[in-house]
Amino acid sequence: MIKTLLIANRGEIARRIIRTCKANGIRTVAVFSDPDATAPHVREADFAVHLPGASPTDTYLRADLLVEAARTAGADAVHPGYGFLSENAGFARAVETAGLTWVGPAPDAIEAMGSKVAAKKRMAAAGVPTLPELDPDTVTEFPVLIKASAGGGGRGMRVVREKAEFHDALASARREAESAFGDPTVFCEPLLEHARHVEVQILADTHGTVWALGERECSIQRRHQKIVEESPSPAVDDEIRERLFAAAVAAAGSIGYVGAGTVEFMLKGTDFHFLEVNTRLQVEHPVTELVHGVDLVEWQLRIAEGARLPEEPPRPRGHAIEVRLYAEDPAHDWRPASGTLHRFHVPGDVRLDSGVEDGSEVSVHYDPMLAKVVAHAPTRRAAARKLATALADARIHGLVTNRRLLVDVLEHDAFLDGDTHTGFLTEHDLTRTVDPQPFALAAALANAATRRIGHLPLGWRNVRSQRPKAKFLHGDELIEVEYDPRQATENTVVLDLDGVRVPFHVARYDDLVEVDSPRGSLTLRVVPRFPEPQTKLAPGATVAPMPGTVVRVSVEQGQQVEAGAELLVLEAMKMEHRVLATNAGTVAELLVERAQQVNAGDVLAVVEES
């Protein structure tokens, strides 16, 4: 029996595992890096052990420190969560060598699937349909997909449509794979356009029982990372489902799999091909739990203790949809955001698996996912409506997120019709412009109400010559509004817009103003009446959009470049981000070099216009 479990992870998944352990009387041990010292998962665990350092390489990827932490805290088992060392056979062996229970498949099974190149060969031998593997050194036919052999989650993955792009994409994929998984090995596959990403949840005990616990569709992706997942798939009928389940069970049987895992496929029409086996719990496991009424983490723990699965899995009921809420800006190439999350509240009858709360600091060192929001309903459309409403009504203050995009996906006709594929976000333009004027007016009125003299708002005059004005910034856009201070109310401002009364809820954090309404949400910054003098940037200056590390410098001083040309590549929050020239001209100054750390706003290069 497991008495004390060390969770070799952080954030959302650590809190998720703690929740199940508390329900089952198992004590928990959290581990935490320097930036995570005050994180919710640390406070919620029974014990916590510090891993000195900030980067994953120094902390959550140190198998020796994690095993020592388990010993120090008196843990008798280790759960790896997902990501980090969850699919590292060496870590699993180190745990078992230390006399601890590993909550996961055997190290040999992890190793068998750890290399996607070797895994594909093994699956083909087991009769599982696979795509042909292409050697990166001899690729001649395009388009192709470059993939990291040692990992997943979209890292180390690139789509290449032209031969001229291949060399740079290959180098970039290898760098990202090395950074994320410690292994730069990549391989190539033919790119299946307009295919669906469908996966089967498997659960296997040590007594020979294997469940195929339904399928999930995860086709809505950005940067090859899933952001919307659902179960069951709208594209899978009974005949396809039977074949998918048979292939997944065959895959599990070929490696003697034990525990929870996922077999992933690409589905086009009625044909599917093997992608990979994830030898761990998946991020999107909640949709399976809600549809089948099971706790997969509890079953992981019970299987590790030697429990038997019933002969048949529970039957599915209804439909579940999950979205991943990220601190990122879809309008600027999914640029991740870091800083203070002042307010975080998601209402409604939904499941919220989050790693953050009011006041949490989102660090530059880790993936920017804030939470998973999941809705379950009798039908797919009902689940989508419930989830979209909860997201639209959420209060998320302090950081830009992908919340609006997720709502737009859930309300899109093509999504509601089940017409989804991995190129969905490329095919459909989901950018939406919001008129900032009503939001700015509501912000001005709320701000005026906080500056009262007695019962009168500041700016009120007995005889008015003109209305007071307020200025805000929405991104780089300056917005100026006139307002009547007699209409001022502090937190909720009701405006009459074309005959419809619309409430606007206003929250202020120093110069940051967050405005939420049924018509959307907007972040504004107050323009001070007497702004501090600022250093003027040279024309053509390019600044760092976020803190990060320079992993490639693509130009030389004196080089001629076109507008939109790549100047350098930054790594931030586990992903690479290209920094592009804003104008054509000559690289007059190059102020960074490879491996250099930069802060947001640092000048990186200056391109003088020709």
Side-chain angles (χ1 to χ4, degrees):
M1 297 290 290
I2 295 172
K3 296 179 180 178
T4 304
L5 180 75
L6 180 128
I7 303 164
N9 220 293
R10 64 177 299 278
E12 174 270 321
I13 187 57
R15 297 182 82 189
R16 162 72 188 90
I17 296 166
I18 290 169
R19 189 165 67 242
T20 287
C21 287
K22 285 184 181 296
N24 287 273
I26 298 173
R27 294 196 179 277
T28 54
V29 181
V31 290
F32 63 94
S33 64
D34 294 348
D36 281 341
T38 60
H41 79 275
V42 179
R43 184 182 63 253
E44 291 169 358
D46 295 292
F47 310 100
V49 178
H50 181 214
L51 305 176
S55 73
T57 306
D58 297 331
T59 54
Y60 300 108
L61 290 173
R62 285 282 301 274
D64 57 335
L65 295 182
L66 295 167
V67 171
E68 184 59 31
R71 286 185 174 133
T72 300
D76 51 12
V78 173
H79 193 305
Y82 55 70
F84 293 133
L85 295 176
S86 62
E87 295 181 280
N88 186 296
F91 179 45
R93 288 197 179 96
V95 168
E96 293 184 344
T97 301
L100 307 172
T101 297
W102 169 254
V103 182
D108 287 348
I110 298 174
E111 203 161 58
M113 295 295 103
S115 165
K116 289 182 173 59
V117 175
K120 286 185 64 174
K121 291 181 171 63
R122 189 158 191 154
M123 291 301 108
V128 179
T130 60
L131 285 170
E133 177 197 334
L134 307 175
D135 184 341
D137 295 328
T138 60
V139 170
T140 57
E141 298 292 329
F142 295 90
V144 298
L145 184 63
I146 304 173
K147 300 175 70 175
S149 179
R155 294 177 177 89
M157 192 177 291
R158 299 288 186 275
V159 171
V160 184
R161 299 186 181 280
E162 304 290 341
K163 184 176 182 180
E165 304 168 357
F166 185 71
H167 181 269
D168 286 348
L170 183 63
S172 176
R174 284 172 169 160
R175 280 196 310 271
E176 200 167 83
E178 171 71 30
S179 173
F181 313 115
D183 183 351
T185 306
V186 298
F187 66 100
C188 298
E189 289 178 339
L191 178 67
L192 291 181
E193 303 275 20
H194 290 80
R196 295 174 185 257
H197 187 131
V198 177
E199 60 192 32
V200 177
Q201 175 70 57
I202 56 173
L203 197 62
D205 63 20
T206 57
H207 308 283
T209 300
V210 181
W211 283 358
L213 202 59
E215 85 280 351
R216 299 184 286 254
E217 178 161 334
C218 315
S219 297
I220 310 293
Q221 303 178 2
R222 60 96 173 99
R223 285 190 155 196
H224 312 294
Q225 285 187 313
K226 309 161 188 172
I227 58 171
V228 180
E229 299 110 335
E230 59 182 308
S231 182
S233 165
V236 174
D237 59 21
D238 289 342
E239 189 273 332
I240 297 174
R241 183 171 292 116
E242 184 177 349
R243 290 191 289 121
L244 276 170
F245 286 8
V249 171
S254 73
I255 56 174
Y257 199 85
V258 170
T262 300
V263 187
E264 300 196 348
F265 302 93
M266 292 300 289
L267 172 68
K268 191 164 186 178
T270 60
D271 296 329
F272 58 83
H273 299 87
F274 171 82
L275 276 179
E276 60 186 349
V277 175
N278 286 303
T279 55
R280 54 171 169 80
L281 196 67
Q282 289 279 84
V283 177
E284 57 271 23
H285 74 273
V287 295
T288 297
E289 293 185 322
L290 291 176
V291 168
H292 287 84
V294 299
D295 184 329
L296 289 173
V297 173
E298 181 180 352
W299 268 115
Q300 284 185 295
L301 297 169
R302 292 181 64 187
I303 288 170
E305 293 175 330
R308 289 179 179 270
L309 288 167
E311 286 189 17
E312 297 294 329
R315 294 187 63 81
R317 59 178 187 85
H319 201 99
I321 305 175
E322 169 185 296
V323 295
R324 302 190 193 185
L325 188 62
Y326 280 94
E328 65 183 13
D329 188 352
H332 291 88
D333 196 27
W334 311 100
R335 180 189 302 166
S338 59
T340 304
L341 188 64
H342 297 294
R343 181 83 171 102
F344 186 73
H345 172 68
V346 181
D349 178 24
V350 293
R351 170 172 165 173
L352 180 67
D353 286 13
S354 73
V356 295
E357 57 189 13
D358 290 359
S360 287
E361 289 292 324
V362 177
S363 168
V364 299
H365 297 287
Y366 312 115
D367 184 279
M369 188 175 78
L370 302 177
K372 303 176 309 195
V373 190
V374 200
H376 180 249
T379 67
R380 184 173 182 270
R381 283 179 174 258
R385 180 175 58 197
K386 182 190 290 190
L387 186 53
T389 301
L391 287 169
D393 292 344
R395 302 284 185 265
I396 307 169
H397 299 165
L399 296 175
V400 63
T401 73
N402 65 337
R403 182 253 300 261
R404 184 70 252 172
L405 175 98
L406 296 173
V407 173
D408 290 345
V409 169
L410 294 168
E411 294 180 342
H412 198 281
D413 288 342
F415 178 82
L416 293 173
D417 290 340
D419 183 15
T420 59
H421 54 82
T422 54
F424 187 91
L425 294 181
T426 303
E427 180 176 306
H428 301 287
D429 181 12
L430 296 177
T431 56
R432 180 194 297 194
T433 57
V434 176
D435 180 6
Q437 287 292 131
F439 293 85
L441 178 56
L445 289 169
N447 286 351
T450 64
R451 304 192 306 273
R452 291 181 179 273
I453 300 175
H455 66 281
L456 296 176
L458 192 66
W460 184 87
R461 295 289 184 273
N462 191 34
V463 178
R464 289 181 298 160
S465 60
Q466 62 182 23
R467 288 185 173 186
K469 297 179 180 179
K471 294 180 180 180
F472 301 93
L473 282 175
H474 175 228
D476 296 329
E477 181 185 0
L478 178 65
I479 305 164
E480 185 172 1
V481 291
E482 291 184 353
Y483 62 95
D484 183 343
R486 293 174 299 179
Q487 296 175 334
T489 54
E490 281 195 30
N491 300 317
T492 301
V493 176
V494 179
L495 300 179
D496 190 311
L497 303 178
D498 299 324
V500 178
R501 288 189 175 184
V502 181
F504 291 81
H505 306 283
V506 183
R508 181 166 176 174
Y509 311 91
D510 296 327
D511 68 333
L512 185 73
V513 184
E514 298 279 2
V515 188
D516 298 293
S517 84
R519 293 192 173 180
S521 300
L522 211 67
T523 299
L524 302 167
R525 288 198 177 275
V526 177
V527 176
R529 293 180 64 190
F530 306 105
E532 294 288 332
Q534 294 183 346
T535 303
K536 187 175 182 180
L537 293 175
T542 299
V543 299
M546 69 202 82
T549 303
V550 178
V551 295
R552 181 171 74 182
V553 177
S554 310
V555 295
E556 297 177 350
Q557 193 160 323
Q559 182 176 331
Q560 293 286 322
V561 296
E562 297 296 324
E566 181 184 290
L567 299 178
L568 52 93
V569 177
L570 284 179
E571 182 187 70
M573 294 174 127
K574 308 297 290 179
M575 300 290 284
E576 289 194 354
H577 306 270
R578 300 170 69 219
V579 177
L580 310 178
T582 57
N583 56 274
T586 304
V587 180
E589 293 184 74
L590 195 56
L591 304 174
V592 292
E593 58 187 21
R594 187 179 178 279
Q596 183 176 331
Q597 297 278 338
V598 299
N599 297 312
D602 286 355
V603 179
L604 307 175
V606 177
V607 178
E608 290 184 351
E609 289 191 17
S610 302

